[in-house]
Amino acid sequence: MPRLYQDPREDVLQAWYMDDSNEDQRLLHHREPKKFVSLEQLAELGVLSWKLDADKYETDEELKKIREEHGYSYMDFCEVCPEKLPNYEEKIKSFFEEHLHTDEEIRYCVAGSGYFDVRDHNDEWILVWVKKGGMIVLPAGIYHRFTLDTDNYIKAMRLFVGDPIWTPYNRPHDNLPARKEYLQSFGTTRSGDHAVDTAA
């Protein structure tokens, strides 16, 4: 039975399980058959999202409200493309290394698009395609990575609580308090070949 309601966020945020191909990281990497992931499923992993009006981010009351509610006091912009980002090839490789942060990663796409890949409870990759108007929050402690899509361009607003700390901790960093707190807050982790409910 078809859904009667489509979440408006799906216009600017789509997610699916990735295949295991080593082809160009900028490709869609759908599984066969395709296996999509809902925004509700992403929320269960701690990934929050909004659809905003990227053409009026300077005066957007909804963005202002989100920033006030979450304490996102710091704001700047990052343009990722070969022409604008110094040491582009080196940077794009480092962004695609699996890592975590000890604070939230907040990105609001005001132009272009890109992929934020996150690990699910079974350590499988979910690709999250964020387009203009999409805002995503990755929780502290989640393993993730970023790359551009084939358009090779994104302009993103970066938000942070207080002074920004962008330090990436490449996997494995399971001993960090942020990782342990993430697993306690958002469900399961793998122990050997078995999923373990950390909330139990």
Side-chain angles (χ1 to χ4, degrees), residues 39-48 70 101 103-105 118-123 137-143 177-190 195-200:
L39 298 178
E40 289 74 22
Q41 287 171 290
L42 287 181
E44 289 171 8
L45 298 173
V47 178
L48 306 178
H70 293 263
H101 300 288
D103 296 276
E104 290 179 327
E105 179 169 316
V118 298
R119 291 284 193 185
D120 77 351
H121 295 315
N122 294 315
D123 221 27
V137 177
L138 306 181
I142 193 172
Y143 281 120
R179 178 63 182 168
K180 293 175 180 176
E181 288 164 16
Y182 172 77
L183 293 173
Q184 287 173 350
S185 298
F186 295 105
T188 59
T189 183
R190 288 180 70 85
V196 177
D197 186 349
T198 59

Side-chain angles (χ1 to χ4, degrees), residues 88-200:
Y88 170 78
E89 292 294 341
E90 184 182 317
K91 287 274 177 63
I92 206 75
K93 280 181 187 170
S94 71
F95 294 159
F96 200 61
E97 284 285 327
E98 184 175 0
H99 62 279
L100 60 78
H101 300 288
T102 55
D103 296 276
E104 290 179 327
E105 179 169 316
I106 307 107
R107 298 291 182 270
Y108 173 20
C109 179
V110 298
S113 51
Y115 301 143
F116 293 83
D117 303 339
V118 298
R119 291 284 193 185
D120 77 351
H121 295 315
N122 294 315
D123 221 27
E124 296 185 73
W125 280 118
I126 296 171
L127 182 154
V128 186
W129 195 6
V130 181
K131 305 174 186 178
K132 180 181 176 180
M135 181 171 166
I136 189 170
V137 177
L138 306 181
I142 193 172
Y143 281 120
H144 64 283
R145 62 191 182 189
F146 169 79
T147 191
L148 293 174
D149 57 25
T150 52
D151 288 340
N152 284 317
Y153 179 76
I154 191 171
K155 181 178 180 181
M157 178 187 291
R158 304 189 298 182
L159 298 168
F160 205 84
V161 177
D163 294 328
I165 303 169
W166 311 123
T167 308
Y169 294 91
N170 288 353
R171 191 170 187 176
H173 263 93
D174 296 332
N175 60 325
L176 286 177
R179 178 63 182 168
K180 293 175 180 176
E181 288 164 16
Y182 172 77
L183 293 173
Q184 287 173 350
S185 298
F186 295 105
T188 59
T189 183
R190 288 180 70 85
S191 176
D193 291 330
H194 305 286
V196 177
D197 186 349
T198 59

